[in-house]
Each structure stands twice: as structure tokens, then as C-alpha cells.
Amino acid sequence: NRMRALCSHEKINKRLAAIADVDSCLPFDHHMDKDELTFKIKREDLVLATLDAVVIGYLRLDYLWSQHPFIAQIYILDAYRGQGIGTLLFCFLKKKLKNEGYTKLYSSSQSNEPMAQRWHLKMGFSLCGSIQGINKDAVDELFFAIAI
């Protein structure tokens, strides 16, 4: 199975963030302060990819209208981009959400981010809508959904 192959990487540890990780998470997310990250950690909304105990990838989960899981951010350190780390985080999250009874996951990217759009489509997401002009310089936000 192609997705199973994409979702495994022997040396990378995929896990939920712990309170001890809060300082390591700060540089990955400029939208959250330490208290907000601590709250997200307690809710099990942060997924990390680590290599030799160093955080190299970060995924933050939010919920639209407090009920629909939404990937708010994925960030991979530059040196590890293009190596499937984002896919590992996505697969970990998808399994977690499925085990919790969710059946759909949402995400988004700006309309001027073709690489992010390709990643979503490669992962099996489908375009499901947009908000026009919501970002800086009136750039549209494209929304994606996937059954899990």
C-alpha cells in the first residue's frame, strides 16, 4: 500500500507533544504563545516528529466550530523538508482522529502556495471551498477535506 509506505520512517519518532516540549514548540508556531501551546498540548492537539530527541516537525490541530478537526499548521525544519516528515505527521494524526471516531479531516493553504496544494492532493485531500481575500494582500485561502 503506497500510503502505508509513505507513513513509515524508521528513524523518525512521531508522537503527541508533552508539557516538557513546550519550549521546543515555540519556534515552530508564531501564532501561539507558551500558555496557548501548553493548552494545546494538554488537549493532545500537537503532533511532533523528532530525530534523536530533537523536534524537526510540528503539526497543530484546531477544530472548526469546536467539532471539525482541522490541520491549522504543519511546519518542518528546512533541512528535513521534502523527506516525507509532513506525511508522517499527517498519518499519525489521521490514525489518532480515526481512533477517536472522527470521519473527516480538514486543512487549508493559501491560493499562492502550489507546493502545499500539491501535498494536500497527494495525501488524498479534495478541494472543498475557499475564502476569498482573507490573507495578506487579499490572497484567497483554499480549503481541503479528506475522509478518514
Side-chain angles (χ1 to χ4, degrees):
N1 178 315
R2 184 171 105 64
M3 186 55 77
R4 181 168 290 140
L6 286 173
C7 289
S8 64
H9 196 297
E10 294 172 14
K11 295 180 181 181
I12 306 297
N13 183 36
K14 295 90 48 192
R15 63 177 176 81
L16 293 171
I19 296 297
D21 296 312
V22 71
D23 288 329
S24 298
C25 293
L26 279 167
F28 285 87
D29 197 330
H30 302 290
H31 302 285
M32 296 257 162
D33 65 24
K34 195 169 187 172
D35 290 338
E36 292 169 315
L37 285 173
T38 300
F39 175 78
K40 297 299 276 178
I41 290 170
K42 289 177 182 177
R43 283 186 42 94
E44 298 187 342
D45 289 344
L46 299 182
V47 180
L48 304 179
T50 61
L51 179 62
D52 298 326
V54 175
V55 178
I56 61 170
Y58 170 95
L59 182 151
R60 176 168 42 90
L61 180 68
D62 283 341
Y63 289 85
L64 301 173
W65 302 287
S66 302
Q67 60 184 342
H68 302 287
F70 174 80
I71 297 173
Q73 183 167 338
I74 297 179
Y75 187 85
I76 310 301
L77 292 179
D78 289 344
Y80 298 96
R81 290 188 182 166
Q83 299 179 37
I85 309 301
T87 301
L88 294 173
L89 294 172
F90 166 70
C91 292
F92 182 95
L93 176 65
K94 196 166 88 164
K95 182 178 180 180
K96 173 191 181 302
L97 292 172
K98 187 172 185 167
N99 289 340
E100 292 173 358
Y102 291 97
T103 58
K104 195 169 263 195
L105 174 62
Y106 295 89
S107 188
S108 71
S109 75
Q110 291 186 178
S111 61
N112 62 352
E113 297 176 328
M115 288 180 62
Q117 293 164 39
R118 280 194 300 276
W119 180 85
H120 282 93
L121 297 174
K122 180 181 172 185
M123 294 302 102
F125 283 90
S126 298
L127 185 64
C128 66
S130 67
I131 298 177
Q132 296 180 343
I134 194 170
N135 294 301
K136 184 179 176 187
D137 298 326
V139 172
D140 297 349
E141 189 76 12
L142 304 178
F143 288 81
F144 299 88
I146 187 171
I148 53 175

